[in-house]
Amino acid sequence: MPSDDQAAAAVPSLVDSLQAYIDDLPQDQQADALHQVFYGFYTRVAIIDRTTYELAAWAKDEAGTLTNVPDSLTEALRDNALFVGQELFASRVRTMRAMGYVSGRLAELLDGAAPAQPFTLTRAVAFDQVQGRIRSYQLSNPGEHPDLPYDPIAYDPHAA
């Protein structure tokens, strides 16, 4: 049976996976592919945000309304919701770091020039907290969602 170190070594890193993916594409398609990967990670953020929102609403509004459930179990459910929320936040941070890495690779690939052809992805999804759902947004409409469009060429997950 392989050790944990051997198992971890067998799973390719984001850096290795992305490099292999890009290397298999023609040069003129690489920037577009990175743009799509960037917004693929952004979709993951949207899913995490919606899940976190729904989990928090459930813990706040519904956990205490369960019938025939002892108070100790209700409290345990809330504690578990908090734990899951912490894990979701950590996943969101990792995803944003991945977006930062992909953005850096895209900027490096373009080297300050515009892409040779327009990006094919024209829409992205984001969580709309007001409506409590994931929605699709045109990337050409800045301001339609406060976070979109992120600049896929200069995204910095540490920027305020």
Side-chain angles (χ1 to χ4, degrees):
M1 183 165 183
S3 71
D4 288 343
D5 290 338
Q6 290 170 325
V11 176
S13 69
L14 170 65
V15 172
D16 295 337
S17 297
L18 192 62
Q19 188 63 50
Y21 173 62
I22 295 304
D23 287 347
D24 284 345
L25 295 174
Q27 180 77 24
D28 66 337
Q29 295 176 14
Q30 292 178 358
D32 190 52
L34 286 172
H35 182 257
Q36 291 179 32
V37 168
F38 177 86
Y39 280 107
F41 279 118
Y42 189 82
T43 298
R44 182 181 292 180
V45 169
I47 293 167
I48 291 168
D49 286 351
R50 179 178 180 170
T51 305
T52 304
Y53 173 86
E54 289 177 353
L55 179 65
W58 176 85
K60 179 182 171 209
D61 301 332
E62 294 181 38
T65 64
L66 299 171
T67 57
N68 301 321
V69 176
D71 290 344
S72 60
L73 183 54
T74 299
E75 192 60 34
L77 288 168
R78 284 191 178 123
D79 287 348
N80 279 309
L82 177 63
F83 175 76
V84 171
Q86 290 170 337
E87 292 297 313
L88 286 168
F89 180 76
S91 182
R92 189 181 201 280
V93 169
R94 287 189 302 272
T95 303
M96 292 172 69
R97 286 180 50 211
M99 288 170 62
Y101 176 75
V102 172
S103 174
R105 288 297 313 273
L106 181 56
E108 180 182 292
L109 183 67
L110 293 174
D111 195 26
Q117 53 198 23
F119 293 130
T120 56
L121 187 67
T122 60
R123 300 186 74 79
V125 297
F127 178 65
D128 181 331
Q129 189 168 351
V130 173
Q131 293 187 9
R133 65 185 183 97
I134 294 176
R135 291 185 42 216
S136 174
Y137 298 88
Q138 284 283 349
L139 289 175
S140 61
N141 281 346
E144 186 178 7
H145 185 276
D147 292 337
L148 285 171
Y150 275 151
D151 184 348
I153 300 168
Y155 173 73
D156 178 4
H158 304 294

PDB file of all heavy atoms in Angstrom, residues 58-86:
ATOM      1  N   TRP A  58     -29.599  28.446   6.781  1.00  0.00           N
ATOM      2  CA  TRP A  58     -30.186  27.289   7.440  1.00  0.00           C
ATOM      3  C   TRP A  58     -29.836  27.279   8.928  1.00  0.00           C
ATOM      4  O   TRP A  58     -30.706  27.092   9.777  1.00  0.00           O
ATOM      5  CB  TRP A  58     -29.707  25.994   6.783  1.00  0.00           C
ATOM      6  CG  TRP A  58     -30.228  24.799   7.520  1.00  0.00           C
ATOM      7  CD1 TRP A  58     -31.436  24.200   7.344  1.00  0.00           C
ATOM      8  CD2 TRP A  58     -29.581  24.113   8.582  1.00  0.00           C
ATOM      9  NE1 TRP A  58     -31.573  23.160   8.235  1.00  0.00           N
ATOM     10  CE2 TRP A  58     -30.450  23.092   9.012  1.00  0.00           C
ATOM     11  CE3 TRP A  58     -28.352  24.254   9.218  1.00  0.00           C
ATOM     12  CZ2 TRP A  58     -30.130  22.219  10.034  1.00  0.00           C
ATOM     13  CZ3 TRP A  58     -28.035  23.388  10.248  1.00  0.00           C
ATOM     14  CH2 TRP A  58     -28.915  22.375  10.644  1.00  0.00           C
ATOM     15  N   ALA A  59     -28.557  27.488   9.234  1.00  0.00           N
ATOM     16  CA  ALA A  59     -28.126  27.443  10.639  1.00  0.00           C
ATOM     17  C   ALA A  59     -28.801  28.538  11.453  1.00  0.00           C
ATOM     18  O   ALA A  59     -29.152  28.334  12.617  1.00  0.00           O
ATOM     19  CB  ALA A  59     -26.612  27.572  10.721  1.00  0.00           C
ATOM     20  N   LYS A  60     -29.020  29.693  10.848  1.00  0.00           N
ATOM     21  CA  LYS A  60     -29.621  30.827  11.550  1.00  0.00           C
ATOM     22  C   LYS A  60     -31.134  30.671  11.679  1.00  0.00           C
ATOM     23  O   LYS A  60     -31.699  30.884  12.756  1.00  0.00           O
ATOM     24  CB  LYS A  60     -29.294  32.118  10.803  1.00  0.00           C
ATOM     25  CG  LYS A  60     -29.887  33.358  11.415  1.00  0.00           C
ATOM     26  CD  LYS A  60     -29.548  34.583  10.587  1.00  0.00           C
ATOM     27  CE  LYS A  60     -30.337  35.760  11.084  1.00  0.00           C
ATOM     28  NZ  LYS A  60     -30.613  36.729  10.065  1.00  0.00           N
ATOM     29  N   ASP A  61     -31.783  30.304  10.586  1.00  0.00           N
ATOM     30  CA  ASP A  61     -33.247  30.356  10.537  1.00  0.00           C
ATOM     31  C   ASP A  61     -33.956  29.026  10.781  1.00  0.00           C
ATOM     32  O   ASP A  61     -35.076  29.012  11.274  1.00  0.00           O
ATOM     33  CB  ASP A  61     -33.701  30.897   9.180  1.00  0.00           C
ATOM     34  CG  ASP A  61     -33.157  32.284   8.896  1.00  0.00           C
ATOM     35  OD1 ASP A  61     -32.907  33.036   9.855  1.00  0.00           O
ATOM     36  OD2 ASP A  61     -32.969  32.602   7.709  1.00  0.00           O
ATOM     37  N   GLU A  62     -33.336  27.914  10.396  1.00  0.00           N
ATOM     38  CA  GLU A  62     -34.070  26.654  10.417  1.00  0.00           C
ATOM     39  C   GLU A  62     -33.593  25.644  11.450  1.00  0.00           C
ATOM     40  O   GLU A  62     -34.393  24.819  11.888  1.00  0.00           O
ATOM     41  CB  GLU A  62     -34.025  26.013   9.031  1.00  0.00           C
ATOM     42  CG  GLU A  62     -34.759  26.822   7.978  1.00  0.00           C
ATOM     43  CD  GLU A  62     -34.716  26.153   6.621  1.00  0.00           C
ATOM     44  OE1 GLU A  62     -34.802  24.906   6.573  1.00  0.00           O
ATOM     45  OE2 GLU A  62     -34.585  26.869   5.621  1.00  0.00           O
ATOM     46  N   ALA A  63     -32.343  25.691  11.844  1.00  0.00           N
ATOM     47  CA  ALA A  63     -31.825  24.664  12.750  1.00  0.00           C
ATOM     48  C   ALA A  63     -32.615  24.616  14.051  1.00  0.00           C
ATOM     49  O   ALA A  63     -32.869  23.539  14.584  1.00  0.00           O
ATOM     50  CB  ALA A  63     -30.352  24.891  13.033  1.00  0.00           C
ATOM     51  N   GLY A  64     -33.041  25.750  14.549  1.00  0.00           N
ATOM     52  CA  GLY A  64     -33.789  25.783  15.803  1.00  0.00           C
ATOM     53  C   GLY A  64     -35.256  25.447  15.664  1.00  0.00           C
ATOM     54  O   GLY A  64     -35.957  25.334  16.673  1.00  0.00           O
ATOM     55  N   THR A  65     -35.731  25.254  14.446  1.00  0.00           N
ATOM     56  CA  THR A  65     -37.161  24.982  14.254  1.00  0.00           C
ATOM     57  C   THR A  65     -37.446  23.499  14.058  1.00  0.00           C
ATOM     58  O   THR A  65     -38.587  23.120  13.813  1.00  0.00           O
ATOM     59  CB  THR A  65     -37.705  25.755  13.033  1.00  0.00           C
ATOM     60  OG1 THR A  65     -37.063  25.275  11.860  1.00  0.00           O
ATOM     61  CG2 THR A  65     -37.484  27.256  13.194  1.00  0.00           C
ATOM     62  N   LEU A  66     -36.426  22.670  14.145  1.00  0.00           N
ATOM     63  CA  LEU A  66     -36.630  21.234  13.978  1.00  0.00           C
ATOM     64  C   LEU A  66     -37.467  20.705  15.143  1.00  0.00           C
ATOM     65  O   LEU A  66     -37.180  20.983  16.302  1.00  0.00           O
ATOM     66  CB  LEU A  66     -35.283  20.501  13.920  1.00  0.00           C
ATOM     67  CG  LEU A  66     -34.366  20.897  12.768  1.00  0.00           C
ATOM     68  CD1 LEU A  66     -32.991  20.273  12.947  1.00  0.00           C
ATOM     69  CD2 LEU A  66     -34.962  20.490  11.437  1.00  0.00           C
ATOM     70  N   THR A  67     -38.482  19.947  14.821  1.00  0.00           N
ATOM     71  CA  THR A  67     -39.353  19.416  15.875  1.00  0.00           C
ATOM     72  C   THR A  67     -38.791  18.102  16.400  1.00  0.00           C
ATOM     73  O   THR A  67     -38.130  17.356  15.676  1.00  0.00           O
ATOM     74  CB  THR A  67     -40.785  19.197  15.348  1.00  0.00           C
ATOM     75  OG1 THR A  67     -40.728  18.334  14.227  1.00  0.00           O
ATOM     76  CG2 THR A  67     -41.429  20.522  14.954  1.00  0.00           C
ATOM     77  N   ASN A  68     -39.052  17.850  17.660  1.00  0.00           N
ATOM     78  CA  ASN A  68     -38.638  16.609  18.329  1.00  0.00           C
ATOM     79  C   ASN A  68     -37.121  16.400  18.292  1.00  0.00           C
ATOM     80  O   ASN A  68     -36.654  15.266  18.176  1.00  0.00           O
ATOM     81  CB  ASN A  68     -39.357  15.392  17.729  1.00  0.00           C
ATOM     82  CG  ASN A  68     -40.854  15.503  17.841  1.00  0.00           C
ATOM     83  OD1 ASN A  68     -41.357  15.972  18.868  1.00  0.00           O
ATOM     84  ND2 ASN A  68     -41.564  15.092  16.812  1.00  0.00           N
ATOM     85  N   VAL A  69     -36.372  17.483  18.331  1.00  0.00           N
ATOM     86  CA  VAL A  69     -34.917  17.398  18.350  1.00  0.00           C
ATOM     87  C   VAL A  69     -34.427  18.039  19.641  1.00  0.00           C
ATOM     88  O   VAL A  69     -34.758  19.203  19.924  1.00  0.00           O
ATOM     89  CB  VAL A  69     -34.300  18.118  17.121  1.00  0.00           C
ATOM     90  CG1 VAL A  69     -32.794  18.126  17.191  1.00  0.00           C
ATOM     91  CG2 VAL A  69     -34.769  17.467  15.829  1.00  0.00           C
ATOM     92  N   PRO A  70     -33.659  17.324  20.438  1.00  0.00           N
ATOM     93  CA  PRO A  70     -33.151  17.897  21.683  1.00  0.00           C
ATOM     94  C   PRO A  70     -32.263  19.112  21.408  1.00  0.00           C
ATOM     95  O   PRO A  70     -31.614  19.201  20.358  1.00  0.00           O
ATOM     96  CB  PRO A  70     -32.339  16.764  22.310  1.00  0.00           C
ATOM     97  CG  PRO A  70     -32.627  15.539  21.519  1.00  0.00           C
ATOM     98  CD  PRO A  70     -33.229  15.953  20.220  1.00  0.00           C
ATOM     99  N   ASP A  71     -32.225  20.025  22.356  1.00  0.00           N
ATOM    100  CA  ASP A  71     -31.408  21.233  22.216  1.00  0.00           C
ATOM    101  C   ASP A  71     -29.946  20.900  21.941  1.00  0.00           C
ATOM    102  O   ASP A  71     -29.284  21.584  21.157  1.00  0.00           O
ATOM    103  CB  ASP A  71     -31.517  22.108  23.468  1.00  0.00           C
ATOM    104  CG  ASP A  71     -32.880  22.759  23.600  1.00  0.00           C
ATOM    105  OD1 ASP A  71     -33.629  22.793  22.605  1.00  0.00           O
ATOM    106  OD2 ASP A  71     -33.189  23.243  24.716  1.00  0.00           O
ATOM    107  N   SER A  72     -29.438  19.856  22.570  1.00  0.00           N
ATOM    108  CA  SER A  72     -28.027  19.491  22.360  1.00  0.00           C
ATOM    109  C   SER A  72     -27.769  19.090  20.912  1.00  0.00           C
ATOM    110  O   SER A  72     -26.722  19.408  20.344  1.00  0.00           O
ATOM    111  CB  SER A  72     -27.614  18.363  23.311  1.00  0.00           C
ATOM    112  OG  SER A  72     -28.420  17.216  23.083  1.00  0.00           O
ATOM    113  N   LEU A  73     -28.724  18.412  20.287  1.00  0.00           N
ATOM    114  CA  LEU A  73     -28.562  18.025  18.880  1.00  0.00           C
ATOM    115  C   LEU A  73     -28.668  19.252  17.972  1.00  0.00           C
ATOM    116  O   LEU A  73     -27.917  19.384  17.004  1.00  0.00           O
ATOM    117  CB  LEU A  73     -29.600  16.978  18.482  1.00  0.00           C
ATOM    118  CG  LEU A  73     -29.487  16.433  17.052  1.00  0.00           C
ATOM    119  CD1 LEU A  73     -28.088  15.898  16.771  1.00  0.00           C
ATOM    120  CD2 LEU A  73     -30.527  15.360  16.817  1.00  0.00           C
ATOM    121  N   THR A  74     -29.571  20.166  18.300  1.00  0.00           N
ATOM    122  CA  THR A  74     -29.687  21.407  17.524  1.00  0.00           C
ATOM    123  C   THR A  74     -28.370  22.179  17.585  1.00  0.00           C
ATOM    124  O   THR A  74     -27.881  22.681  16.567  1.00  0.00           O
ATOM    125  CB  THR A  74     -30.840  22.273  18.054  1.00  0.00           C
ATOM    126  OG1 THR A  74     -32.050  21.533  17.918  1.00  0.00           O
ATOM    127  CG2 THR A  74     -30.947  23.585  17.300  1.00  0.00           C
ATOM    128  N   GLU A  75     -27.784  22.248  18.774  1.00  0.00           N
ATOM    129  CA  GLU A  75     -26.500  22.942  18.930  1.00  0.00           C
ATOM    130  C   GLU A  75     -25.404  22.226  18.153  1.00  0.00           C
ATOM    131  O   GLU A  75     -24.554  22.858  17.522  1.00  0.00           O
ATOM    132  CB  GLU A  75     -26.129  23.053  20.414  1.00  0.00           C
ATOM    133  CG  GLU A  75     -24.981  23.987  20.683  1.00  0.00           C
ATOM    134  CD  GLU A  75     -25.236  25.423  20.223  1.00  0.00           C
ATOM    135  OE1 GLU A  75     -26.387  25.896  20.276  1.00  0.00           O
ATOM    136  OE2 GLU A  75     -24.267  26.078  19.794  1.00  0.00           O
ATOM    137  N   ALA A  76     -25.415  20.902  18.172  1.00  0.00           N
ATOM    138  CA  ALA A  76     -24.428  20.132  17.403  1.00  0.00           C
ATOM    139  C   ALA A  76     -24.591  20.392  15.904  1.00  0.00           C
ATOM    140  O   ALA A  76     -23.601  20.515  15.179  1.00  0.00           O
ATOM    141  CB  ALA A  76     -24.571  18.644  17.708  1.00  0.00           C
ATOM    142  N   LEU A  77     -25.821  20.501  15.439  1.00  0.00           N
ATOM    143  CA  LEU A  77     -26.054  20.812  14.022  1.00  0.00           C
ATOM    144  C   LEU A  77     -25.485  22.181  13.673  1.00  0.00           C
ATOM    145  O   LEU A  77     -24.861  22.352  12.618  1.00  0.00           O
ATOM    146  CB  LEU A  77     -27.548  20.755  13.711  1.00  0.00           C
ATOM    147  CG  LEU A  77     -28.175  19.361  13.691  1.00  0.00           C
ATOM    148  CD1 LEU A  77     -29.692  19.464  13.661  1.00  0.00           C
ATOM    149  CD2 LEU A  77     -27.664  18.571  12.501  1.00  0.00           C
ATOM    150  N   ARG A  78     -25.691  23.139  14.538  1.00  0.00           N
ATOM    151  CA  ARG A  78     -25.139  24.486  14.284  1.00  0.00           C
ATOM    152  C   ARG A  78     -23.615  24.458  14.306  1.00  0.00           C
ATOM    153  O   ARG A  78     -22.964  25.096  13.479  1.00  0.00           O
ATOM    154  CB  ARG A  78     -25.684  25.472  15.308  1.00  0.00           C
ATOM    155  CG  ARG A  78     -27.097  25.888  15.038  1.00  0.00           C
ATOM    156  CD  ARG A  78     -27.495  27.065  15.916  1.00  0.00           C
ATOM    157  NE  ARG A  78     -28.836  27.486  15.600  1.00  0.00           N
ATOM    158  CZ  ARG A  78     -29.827  27.555  16.480  1.00  0.00           C
ATOM    159  NH1 ARG A  78     -29.628  27.242  17.735  1.00  0.00           N
ATOM    160  NH2 ARG A  78     -31.028  27.950  16.100  1.00  0.00           N
ATOM    161  N   ASP A  79     -23.035  23.724  15.263  1.00  0.00           N
ATOM    162  CA  ASP A  79     -21.575  23.610  15.321  1.00  0.00           C
ATOM    163  C   ASP A  79     -21.026  22.980  14.044  1.00  0.00           C
ATOM    164  O   ASP A  79     -20.017  23.433  13.500  1.00  0.00           O
ATOM    165  CB  ASP A  79     -21.145  22.773  16.529  1.00  0.00           C
ATOM    166  CG  ASP A  79     -21.303  23.500  17.848  1.00  0.00           C
ATOM    167  OD1 ASP A  79     -21.535  24.731  17.834  1.00  0.00           O
ATOM    168  OD2 ASP A  79     -21.213  22.838  18.896  1.00  0.00           O
ATOM    169  N   ASN A  80     -21.704  21.944  13.565  1.00  0.00           N
ATOM    170  CA  ASN A  80     -21.264  21.303  12.329  1.00  0.00           C
ATOM    171  C   ASN A  80     -21.415  22.241  11.137  1.00  0.00           C
ATOM    172  O   ASN A  80     -20.574  22.241  10.239  1.00  0.00           O
ATOM    173  CB  ASN A  80     -22.030  19.998  12.099  1.00  0.00           C
ATOM    174  CG  ASN A  80     -21.446  18.878  12.919  1.00  0.00           C
ATOM    175  OD1 ASN A  80     -20.248  18.646  12.891  1.00  0.00           O
ATOM    176  ND2 ASN A  80     -22.291  18.189  13.667  1.00  0.00           N
ATOM    177  N   ALA A  81     -22.463  23.024  11.121  1.00  0.00           N
ATOM    178  CA  ALA A  81     -22.638  24.000  10.041  1.00  0.00           C
ATOM    179  C   ALA A  81     -21.490  25.007  10.056  1.00  0.00           C
ATOM    180  O   ALA A  81     -20.964  25.381   9.003  1.00  0.00           O
ATOM    181  CB  ALA A  81     -23.985  24.714  10.176  1.00  0.00           C
ATOM    182  N   LEU A  82     -21.076  25.425  11.245  1.00  0.00           N
ATOM    183  CA  LEU A  82     -19.944  26.348  11.359  1.00  0.00           C
ATOM    184  C   LEU A  82     -18.670  25.694  10.842  1.00  0.00           C
ATOM    185  O   LEU A  82     -17.906  26.304  10.085  1.00  0.00           O
ATOM    186  CB  LEU A  82     -19.763  26.797  12.811  1.00  0.00           C
ATOM    187  CG  LEU A  82     -18.572  27.696  13.085  1.00  0.00           C
ATOM    188  CD1 LEU A  82     -18.701  29.007  12.321  1.00  0.00           C
ATOM    189  CD2 LEU A  82     -18.434  27.958  14.574  1.00  0.00           C
ATOM    190  N   PHE A  83     -18.446  24.437  11.214  1.00  0.00           N
ATOM    191  CA  PHE A  83     -17.265  23.726  10.742  1.00  0.00           C
ATOM    192  C   PHE A  83     -17.270  23.614   9.215  1.00  0.00           C
ATOM    193  O   PHE A  83     -16.261  23.868   8.558  1.00  0.00           O
ATOM    194  CB  PHE A  83     -17.195  22.326  11.379  1.00  0.00           C
ATOM    195  CG  PHE A  83     -16.067  21.503  10.855  1.00  0.00           C
ATOM    196  CD1 PHE A  83     -14.761  21.743  11.263  1.00  0.00           C
ATOM    197  CD2 PHE A  83     -16.295  20.488   9.933  1.00  0.00           C
ATOM    198  CE1 PHE A  83     -13.708  20.992  10.763  1.00  0.00           C
ATOM    199  CE2 PHE A  83     -15.254  19.735   9.428  1.00  0.00           C
ATOM    200  CZ  PHE A  83     -13.955  19.980   9.847  1.00  0.00           C
ATOM    201  N   VAL A  84     -18.398  23.226   8.639  1.00  0.00           N
ATOM    202  CA  VAL A  84     -18.499  23.118   7.180  1.00  0.00           C
ATOM    203  C   VAL A  84     -18.251  24.486   6.540  1.00  0.00           C
ATOM    204  O   VAL A  84     -17.565  24.598   5.522  1.00  0.00           O
ATOM    205  CB  VAL A  84     -19.859  22.529   6.759  1.00  0.00           C
ATOM    206  CG1 VAL A  84     -20.063  22.628   5.257  1.00  0.00           C
ATOM    207  CG2 VAL A  84     -19.975  21.082   7.229  1.00  0.00           C
ATOM    208  N   GLY A  85     -18.797  25.542   7.153  1.00  0.00           N
ATOM    209  CA  GLY A  85     -18.562  26.893   6.645  1.00  0.00           C
ATOM    210  C   GLY A  85     -17.089  27.257   6.644  1.00  0.00           C
ATOM    211  O   GLY A  85     -16.592  27.884   5.694  1.00  0.00           O
ATOM    212  N   GLN A  86     -16.366  26.850   7.668  1.00  0.00           N
ATOM    213  CA  GLN A  86     -14.927  27.110   7.718  1.00  0.00           C
ATOM    214  C   GLN A  86     -14.200  26.362   6.605  1.00  0.00           C
ATOM    215  O   GLN A  86     -13.292  26.909   5.969  1.00  0.00           O
ATOM    216  CB  GLN A  86     -14.366  26.711   9.083  1.00  0.00           C
ATOM    217  CG  GLN A  86     -14.814  27.613  10.205  1.00  0.00           C
ATOM    218  CD  GLN A  86     -14.461  27.067  11.581  1.00  0.00           C
ATOM    219  OE1 GLN A  86     -14.259  25.871  11.755  1.00  0.00           O
ATOM    220  NE2 GLN A  86     -14.400  27.948  12.557  1.00  0.00           N
TER     221      GLN A  86
END
